[in-house]
Amino acid sequence: MSDSKPVSMPPHLWEALDLMSAEMGVPPDALVGQAVFMLARLNGYVVAGKAMNGGGPAAASPRAAAPAAPPRAQPPGMKARAQPPPPEPEPEPELPSEDEGNPFDAQPEQNFDDPPPEENYDPEPEPEPEPEPAPPPPRAGGGKQSLTLIVAGRDPFKMTGDVFSIGRGKSCEFVIDSNRVSREHVRITREGSDFVLEDLNSSNGTFFGPSKEKISKRKIKDGDEFTLGTEKIKFQIRK
């Protein structure tokens, strides 16, 4: 009586078995026996460490030697449940060849913070600042005029504000220490490009020119001379 038994497998497993037998140089029966042995060991049908009988497969475990239990009778009207096919053995992972090495070891280190090297690298020059526009030239006759008071025996006094007063009082911008001059004798006001002298109801009056013309208000011109009481003041206008 022959020990060979037919084995039913899907076509793609037969193709895989023939390919493994050709590449590994192992007969197909030996590969099938090795696969059955591994499956039996994983499921406890073969116990590791048992003595081998004459180089054959390991002795069957008590679980494998036990007689198979008789099939349970199915109740009337119920179909027998189909047994699931045995699981296919998982293929072993392929190990990388030692000669290949790590492909990243041959790559040179690169610093991503630095720009890529270029031949004759010339940085872009910074743009030169634009020159500031020249200020417009002053217009002819557009300068502001100044008024200067000239009194004998004293330094010339230049008017700095738009309004200032002359008198004996200490609150005046130009003080004349004379009893013939009132505390606030006259006021001079800038009106545009002109200067106007106005008497402030002084006790001894304000007079213009050599003829001593009494005035209450008059526009000042360059070189004009006024008399406050008995004190003479000459005015000079310059741009």
Side-chain angles (χ1 to χ4, degrees):
M1 183 177 179
S2 175
D3 293 336
S4 61
K5 297 180 181 180
V7 179
S8 176
M9 287 192 301
H12 68 279
L13 294 182
W14 283 112
E15 295 177 2
L17 180 62
D18 293 338
L19 182 60
M20 292 170 59
S21 175
E23 293 183 355
M24 300 173 63
V26 180
D29 296 342
L31 293 175
V32 174
Q34 184 179 2
V36 173
F37 174 77
M38 294 294 295
L39 182 61
R41 184 174 178 180
L42 290 174
N43 290 276
Y45 290 95
V46 175
V47 179
K50 290 290 185 177
M52 306 294 289
N53 296 330
S61 64
R63 182 177 177 181
R72 297 175 59 184
Q74 298 291 336
M78 293 186 64
K79 295 182 180 181
R81 181 180 299 176
Q83 297 294 332
E88 299 179 4
E90 297 181 359
E92 296 182 0
E94 296 182 0
L95 298 178
S97 176
E98 296 181 357
D99 297 336
E100 295 180 358
N102 190 348
F104 296 98
D105 294 341
Q107 299 293 333
E109 294 183 358
Q110 182 178 359
N111 188 357
F112 293 96
D113 295 335
D114 299 333
E118 297 181 2
E119 295 183 359
N120 300 329
Y121 177 73
D122 188 11
E124 185 177 353
E126 296 182 359
E128 297 182 358
E130 297 181 0
E132 297 182 359
R139 294 180 299 176
K144 196 173 183 179
Q145 294 180 337
S146 62
L147 180 68
T148 302
L149 285 71
I150 300 174
V151 178
R154 298 180 59 174
D155 294 334
F157 177 82
K158 188 175 181 180
M159 177 179 175
T160 56
D162 292 337
V163 179
F164 76 100
S165 58
I166 303 174
R168 190 179 74 249
K170 302 299 181 182
S171 60
C172 296
E173 281 75 19
F174 190 81
V175 178
I176 299 177
D177 189 11
S178 172
N179 292 331
R180 304 294 299 176
V181 177
S182 300
R183 286 188 177 86
E184 290 187 356
H185 202 103
V186 295
R187 179 190 298 120
I188 299 177
T189 305
R190 183 194 299 269
E191 296 181 358
S193 58
D194 298 329
F195 298 94
V196 178
L197 184 146
E198 180 181 3
D199 183 82
L200 300 178
N201 296 323
S202 61
S203 300
N204 297 314
T206 302
F207 306 92
F208 170 72
S211 61
K212 304 288 184 175
E213 176 188 354
K214 188 175 182 179
I215 61 158
S216 58
K217 188 174 183 180
R218 184 182 177 87
K219 178 181 176 181
I220 303 174
K221 296 181 180 180
D222 182 41
D224 283 353
E225 183 178 279
F226 292 85
T227 302
L228 279 62
T230 57
E231 304 294 331
K232 293 183 179 182
I233 298 177
K234 188 175 181 180
F235 292 96
Q236 188 180 59
I237 298 176
R238 293 289 183 269
K239 292 183 178 180

